[in-house]
Amino acid sequence: MVFCEPVDAMTKLQMKGSWNEVKGKLKQKYGSLTDDDLTFAEGKDDELLGRLQKRLGRTKEEIREEIASL
């Protein structure tokens, strides 16, 4: 069994529960993001974070923290 840190667990729950809201806020903040950049598929959290990391030039941890704060 894999245990996640609280930030990771919260981010995953938030991404599952209210992703459309989070996606809208990220698009407002970062106008360069596209729907393709923000496509979220169940179980592919790392893939999404990798795309955002590449587009925004930020670390995965920074992106996780920002998503958790939305």
Side-chain angles (χ1 to χ4, degrees), residues 17 21 27 34 36 57-59 64:
E21 182 180 335
K27 284 177 78 172
T34 66
D36 287 341
R58 301 178 71 189
T59 67
R64 282 187 185 102

PDB file of all heavy atoms in Angstrom, residues 17 21 27 34 36 57-59 64:
ATOM      1  N   GLY A  17     -12.358  16.074  -7.623  1.00  0.00           N
ATOM      2  CA  GLY A  17     -13.648  16.627  -7.252  1.00  0.00           C
ATOM      3  C   GLY A  17     -14.046  17.892  -7.968  1.00  0.00           C
ATOM      4  O   GLY A  17     -15.213  18.066  -8.306  1.00  0.00           O
ATOM      5  N   GLU A  21     -13.371  23.583 -12.157  1.00  0.00           N
ATOM      6  CA  GLU A  21     -13.179  24.871 -11.499  1.00  0.00           C
ATOM      7  C   GLU A  21     -11.695  25.235 -11.445  1.00  0.00           C
ATOM      8  O   GLU A  21     -11.305  26.361 -11.763  1.00  0.00           O
ATOM      9  CB  GLU A  21     -13.763  24.819 -10.091  1.00  0.00           C
ATOM     10  CG  GLU A  21     -13.667  26.120  -9.344  1.00  0.00           C
ATOM     11  CD  GLU A  21     -14.252  26.015  -7.949  1.00  0.00           C
ATOM     12  OE1 GLU A  21     -15.122  25.163  -7.705  1.00  0.00           O
ATOM     13  OE2 GLU A  21     -13.810  26.809  -7.098  1.00  0.00           O
ATOM     14  N   LYS A  27      -6.436  28.578 -16.246  1.00  0.00           N
ATOM     15  CA  LYS A  27      -6.474  29.215 -17.567  1.00  0.00           C
ATOM     16  C   LYS A  27      -6.540  30.733 -17.439  1.00  0.00           C
ATOM     17  O   LYS A  27      -5.958  31.453 -18.246  1.00  0.00           O
ATOM     18  CB  LYS A  27      -7.653  28.691 -18.384  1.00  0.00           C
ATOM     19  CG  LYS A  27      -7.392  27.301 -18.944  1.00  0.00           C
ATOM     20  CD  LYS A  27      -8.571  26.760 -19.687  1.00  0.00           C
ATOM     21  CE  LYS A  27      -8.662  27.362 -21.065  1.00  0.00           C
ATOM     22  NZ  LYS A  27      -9.701  26.720 -21.884  1.00  0.00           N
ATOM     23  N   THR A  34      -3.622  25.583 -22.670  1.00  0.00           N
ATOM     24  CA  THR A  34      -4.720  25.145 -23.533  1.00  0.00           C
ATOM     25  C   THR A  34      -5.519  24.044 -22.841  1.00  0.00           C
ATOM     26  O   THR A  34      -5.096  23.503 -21.819  1.00  0.00           O
ATOM     27  CB  THR A  34      -4.170  24.583 -24.861  1.00  0.00           C
ATOM     28  OG1 THR A  34      -3.436  23.382 -24.567  1.00  0.00           O
ATOM     29  CG2 THR A  34      -3.266  25.579 -25.571  1.00  0.00           C
ATOM     30  N   ASP A  36      -5.836  21.114 -23.946  1.00  0.00           N
ATOM     31  CA  ASP A  36      -4.988  19.915 -24.027  1.00  0.00           C
ATOM     32  C   ASP A  36      -3.987  19.869 -22.870  1.00  0.00           C
ATOM     33  O   ASP A  36      -3.718  18.804 -22.317  1.00  0.00           O
ATOM     34  CB  ASP A  36      -4.240  19.850 -25.354  1.00  0.00           C
ATOM     35  CG  ASP A  36      -5.144  19.481 -26.529  1.00  0.00           C
ATOM     36  OD1 ASP A  36      -6.246  18.940 -26.287  1.00  0.00           O
ATOM     37  OD2 ASP A  36      -4.746  19.739 -27.670  1.00  0.00           O
ATOM     38  N   GLY A  57       7.276  26.121 -16.634  1.00  0.00           N
ATOM     39  CA  GLY A  57       8.647  26.254 -16.148  1.00  0.00           C
ATOM     40  C   GLY A  57       8.736  26.252 -14.632  1.00  0.00           C
ATOM     41  O   GLY A  57       9.599  26.913 -14.052  1.00  0.00           O
ATOM     42  N   ARG A  58       7.852  25.511 -13.989  1.00  0.00           N
ATOM     43  CA  ARG A  58       7.839  25.426 -12.530  1.00  0.00           C
ATOM     44  C   ARG A  58       8.005  23.970 -12.125  1.00  0.00           C
ATOM     45  O   ARG A  58       7.800  23.076 -12.924  1.00  0.00           O
ATOM     46  CB  ARG A  58       6.512  25.984 -12.000  1.00  0.00           C
ATOM     47  CG  ARG A  58       6.330  27.450 -12.427  1.00  0.00           C
ATOM     48  CD  ARG A  58       5.050  28.019 -11.985  1.00  0.00           C
ATOM     49  NE  ARG A  58       5.113  28.183 -10.539  1.00  0.00           N
ATOM     50  CZ  ARG A  58       4.064  28.511  -9.809  1.00  0.00           C
ATOM     51  NH1 ARG A  58       2.896  28.715 -10.370  1.00  0.00           N
ATOM     52  NH2 ARG A  58       4.164  28.638  -8.506  1.00  0.00           N
ATOM     53  N   THR A  59       8.352  23.741 -10.866  1.00  0.00           N
ATOM     54  CA  THR A  59       8.515  22.363 -10.403  1.00  0.00           C
ATOM     55  C   THR A  59       7.144  21.734 -10.172  1.00  0.00           C
ATOM     56  O   THR A  59       6.143  22.443 -10.000  1.00  0.00           O
ATOM     57  CB  THR A  59       9.313  22.301  -9.086  1.00  0.00           C
ATOM     58  OG1 THR A  59       8.530  22.893  -8.044  1.00  0.00           O
ATOM     59  CG2 THR A  59      10.658  22.987  -9.215  1.00  0.00           C
ATOM     60  N   ARG A  64       1.718  21.541  -7.639  1.00  0.00           N
ATOM     61  CA  ARG A  64       0.839  20.894  -6.662  1.00  0.00           C
ATOM     62  C   ARG A  64       0.343  21.878  -5.625  1.00  0.00           C
ATOM     63  O   ARG A  64      -0.833  21.913  -5.275  1.00  0.00           O
ATOM     64  CB  ARG A  64       1.561  19.740  -5.950  1.00  0.00           C
ATOM     65  CG  ARG A  64       1.673  18.488  -6.728  1.00  0.00           C
ATOM     66  CD  ARG A  64       2.258  17.371  -5.849  1.00  0.00           C
ATOM     67  NE  ARG A  64       2.494  16.182  -6.612  1.00  0.00           N
ATOM     68  CZ  ARG A  64       3.674  15.792  -7.049  1.00  0.00           C
ATOM     69  NH1 ARG A  64       4.751  16.491  -6.783  1.00  0.00           N
ATOM     70  NH2 ARG A  64       3.788  14.687  -7.752  1.00  0.00           N
TER      71      ARG A  64
END
